[in-house]
Amino acid sequence: SFAHAIEAEAGIGRLLHGEAVAIGLTLAFRFSAFLRICPAADAERVAALLATAGLPTRLDHVGVRAARLFDWMAHDK
């Protein structure tokens, strides 16, 4: 999952689990919109709601590199 990969790449203690989940949800919705599985407006609505709650929604908010996430995701579960 995106969140597990984000946590693994960030390292222990760099962010809270809920923060990784918020970014992961945002990435999953945006990826779904890219694949035309859901409307782009839905993805942006999710990101806006999470941001309103004070949660991060972008990898650069926590200093994680996107290129490394696929490696982590390939070994998740």
Side-chain angles (χ1 to χ4, degrees):
S1 74
F2 284 103
H4 290 152
I6 293 164
E7 287 177 316
E9 179 63 17
I12 295 174
R14 291 247 346 257
L15 70 159
L16 299 172
H17 178 70
E19 293 170 330
V21 169
I23 297 168
L25 280 170
T26 303
L27 290 176
F29 266 90
R30 287 183 173 154
F31 185 55
S32 295
F34 174 78
L35 296 174
R36 300 184 188 272
I37 295 170
C38 78
D42 288 357
E44 295 314 308
R45 185 168 43 245
V46 167
L49 288 169
L50 293 167
T52 298
L55 293 165
T57 59
R58 296 169 41 110
L59 292 172
D60 60 354
H61 290 164
V62 295
V64 171
R65 298 172 295 152
R68 294 272 303 137
L69 294 185
F70 293 111
D71 292 335
W72 288 109
M73 291 171 75
H75 297 96
D76 189 34
K77 295 185 182 87

